[in-house]
Structure formats: C-alpha cells, structure tokens
Amino acid sequence: MMIKRKKYIPFLILVVFGVCLIFFNLKSSVENVQPAKRIFKSERAFGDDHFDIYLINSKGKQASDWKKIDDDYYIKSKRFKQMMESYKSEIEDYDLLSNSIYQLEKDINTVYSYQENIDKEGHRILYIYNSDLDKGYILDFQI
C-alpha cells in the first residue's frame, strides 16, 4: 500500500508545479503596465461597484500573451464603451478620450488584455496598449 502512494508523489509535485506556473504566468501578464494617472473615477456604489479609467504607464514591452485587436476585443469592449457613454457628462474631455481609444483600436500595433473576476465576481478589466506609441488605457469595471 505504501509503495502505491510513493508512486503518485512525483505526479502530484508535477501538478502543483504546473498550477503554480500557470498562476504566475497569468499574474505577470499585465505587470509590465501600471496605471499612471486616473482619468475618471466613478462614484462608488453599493459593494464598491465602480467604473474607472486610467492612463497606462509602461515598463517596457507588454507581455507576449496580449492579443491583437480582433472581433473578441470588440465584443468585450462593448460593455466598457457603454459605461463610458453613460458617464459621458462626467468624464472630462470625453470626446478626446473616446477618439484616442478609437485611434488605438485602428492601429495594427495595438494589443489588449482582458481579465474577468480578478478580485471578486463581476470585476472586469480591459487593457488596451500600443508600445510603439507608448499609449494605452485601463478600463476597470466592477459590478
């Protein structure tokens, strides 16, 4: 009986190592970019619901797992754009910000990263960044 348990120990170590590797890879996928300046902070609602927009401050190239703008990006960004539209009157220089995001989306060197349920269920963050322009935004939505 003891021999069979020892047989599984290397397998368990490998599984734990793999899970750790996946966790750290996901965690590092956006650590090259940090919020430099909050452009907009919505009023906090029940349960800390919010919608915030940040400029990105880069620390070099973005992670390799970021994706080029594609159909999936437009599907995922729709909710964030609707939130921006609903706060249009409160966002300083809304038209300038909206146009800036539009220009980033049209540039072939722009990439994005989307994360869901980061801190708690309903928390979504969309990163859009162009390393050639060193320009990007973080759209942070919690409901």
Side-chain angles (χ1 to χ4, degrees):
M1 186 79 163
M2 188 64 120
I3 294 173
K4 286 186 179 186
R5 285 188 189 170
K6 287 183 179 181
K7 226 161 113 178
Y8 293 110
I9 290 176
F11 176 72
L12 289 175
I13 291 172
L14 183 63
V15 169
V16 169
F17 178 73
V19 169
C20 289
L21 187 61
I22 290 169
F23 173 76
F24 287 117
N25 188 33
L26 291 175
K27 185 174 168 62
S28 69
S29 69
V30 292
E31 68 185 20
N32 289 341
V33 293
Q34 300 295 324
K37 176 184 173 188
R38 188 183 340 228
I39 297 173
F40 174 72
K41 178 181 179 181
S42 68
E43 189 174 314
R44 295 320 195 228
F46 180 75
D48 197 30
D49 291 357
H50 64 268
F51 177 65
D52 297 341
I53 304 171
Y54 300 88
L55 278 173
I56 287 179
N57 181 17
S58 71
K59 290 184 177 179
K61 292 252 181 212
Q62 69 278 349
S64 61
D65 61 340
W66 286 43
K67 300 180 196 175
K68 294 274 189 189
I69 301 293
D70 57 9
D71 290 340
D72 190 47
Y73 164 82
Y74 289 105
I75 291 168
K76 290 178 176 166
S77 68
K78 184 177 181 179
R79 178 178 299 169
F80 294 96
K81 291 178 181 180
Q82 289 171 338
M83 290 301 296
M84 281 180 59
E85 183 69 30
S86 70
Y87 285 106
K88 184 177 183 175
S89 63
E90 298 174 41
I91 298 174
E92 189 175 323
D93 297 324
Y94 172 83
D95 291 331
L96 185 64
L97 172 63
S98 182
N99 187 47
S100 180
I101 291 172
Y102 175 78
Q103 294 301 322
L104 283 176
E105 291 171 341
K106 298 305 172 201
D107 191 306
I108 61 169
N109 296 314
T110 300
V111 293
Y112 77 98
S113 180
Y114 175 80
Q115 295 182 340
E116 195 168 318
N117 300 328
I118 298 104
D119 297 331
K120 55 185 171 180
E121 191 170 335
H123 188 192
R124 295 167 179 85
I125 298 179
L126 178 68
Y127 298 81
I128 179 171
Y129 181 69
N130 186 307
S131 61
D132 292 343
L133 301 173
D134 193 23
K135 187 174 190 177
Y137 298 96
I138 299 171
L139 305 173
D140 183 355
F141 178 54
Q142 170 67 54
I143 189 160

